[in-house]
Amino acid sequence: MSADSVRLTSLAHGGGCGCKIAPALLAELLAELPEGLRPPELLVGTENGDDAAVWQLNDRQALVATTDFFMPIVDDPFDFGRIAATNALSDVYAMGARPIFALALVGMPIDKLAPAVIRQILAGGQEACRQAGILVAGGHSIDSVEPIYGLVALGLVDPTKILRNDRARAGDVLILGKPIGIGILSAALKKEALAPEAYRRMVELTTRLNTAGPDLATLAGVHAATDVTGFGLLGHLWEVCRGSRLRARLDYDRVPILPEAQALVGQGFATGASKRNWASYGANVAIPESWAETRRTLLCDPQTSGGLLVACAPEAAADVLALFVRHGSPEAAIIGSLGPGQPGIDAA
């Protein structure tokens, strides 16, 4: 096979946000690091695993900084670049910020990929940034064993309108902006078992920018937000519950799920990350004994460039849903609620 025709996914042991280190191991790795200095300008740091760091510049502006990169989730190099860049920008949007520019992070097996293929990956990332209205203003590249691409993404936000993942309130409803199931589709793709229409749907969702974030930050009833990525819906909801000291009720039948993913998970397709995710936070989730394992797999499925998860007052829900529709996410749905109690999740 030539360097022009090699399957990108064959060069990586994992793909997309399924490459993320499991939540439990990540917590262990970070547990004993020294705290270091905590200047007052650092409004959001590592304290609750939020989507980005936030540094206050002045009374009206704060800088949002994040980085995200991974190995190929698809074989088309242009699509890979677009997906990876969209996913990285999502963390900026999840904080309620608007991106201002990005830096590219590039690691490529130079002996296995032709320059034209690598150029297409970079072009895909630039296209996603162009759609977001920003430039890739620089970056860094290395010769690596597996192909890696992503961005350092920077944005600006009003310090009074930051969307954190630990500010939800009892009585809030939970709204998810995109359907889940991307990890299952990627598992099928890697085994060459994904239908062309399902692939097109996968690319459409993973390259759809979460541009609703900054507008959500202007709604008084929106209290918290995060984006659903490698830890799956349950994992990122658990972070909201833990940080906000609340208990969630998740209504499985209301969760938007890709029909193709529902069919494929029934055929045994899944990522190894879904099991690692459950092992990390399953003790904090109560699920009915009658559930088939496929439901748990879907809720733990690692999402690449997933949707925003929003906690808002019930009276704001209609405005939030309308805003998602305006930003091209008609699948957005109310999937549960938050209340007092031991932090955790009751799924039903």
Side-chain angles (χ1 to χ4, degrees), residues 19 32 44 49 55 75 125 150 152 160 171 186 192 205 222 263 275 280 292 343:
C19 297
E32 297 183 12
V44 181
W55 183 275
D75 292 313
V152 173
T160 67
S186 71
E192 301 186 73
L205 280 175
V222 173
K275 290 185 178 181
S280 295

Side-chain angles (χ1 to χ4, degrees), residues 192-216:
E192 301 186 73
L194 189 66
E197 184 55 39
Y199 176 80
R200 286 190 289 271
R201 178 65 166 148
M202 175 183 173
V203 172
E204 187 278 318
L205 280 175
T206 53
T207 58
R208 185 194 298 173
L209 293 163
N210 282 324
T211 51
D215 287 342
L216 286 169

Side-chain angles (χ1 to χ4, degrees), residues 89 143 186 211 330-331:
L89 293 171
D143 185 355
S186 71
T211 51
E331 309 92 342

Side-chain angles (χ1 to χ4, degrees), residues 206-298:
T206 53
T207 58
R208 185 194 298 173
L209 293 163
N210 282 324
T211 51
D215 287 342
L216 286 169
T218 67
L219 298 179
V222 173
H223 301 138
T226 189
D227 63 341
V228 178
T229 55
F231 298 161
L233 175 57
L234 287 180
H236 292 284
L237 177 53
W238 160 239
E239 289 182 330
V240 172
C241 293
R242 180 185 60 195
S244 305
R245 298 182 175 274
L246 296 171
R247 193 162 188 89
R249 178 175 176 80
L250 180 68
D251 187 343
Y252 179 87
D253 290 334
R254 300 181 73 177
V255 176
I257 301 172
L258 290 168
E260 301 91 340
Q262 286 184 313
L264 288 165
V265 75
Q267 299 169 31
F269 288 97
T271 68
S274 63
K275 290 185 178 181
R276 295 194 297 273
N277 283 342
W278 178 256
S280 295
Y281 52 68
N284 304 294
V285 182
I287 61 174
E289 291 184 4
S290 60
W291 271 22
E293 187 177 348
T294 52
R295 288 192 170 199
R296 193 183 77 184
T297 298
L298 281 160

Side-chain angles (χ1 to χ4, degrees), residues 10-37:
S10 72
L11 299 176
H13 74 278
C17 286
C19 297
K20 290 179 75 169
I21 293 175
L25 178 55
L26 181 61
E28 180 182 345
L29 294 174
L30 299 176
E32 297 183 12
L33 290 179
E35 289 188 11
L37 298 175

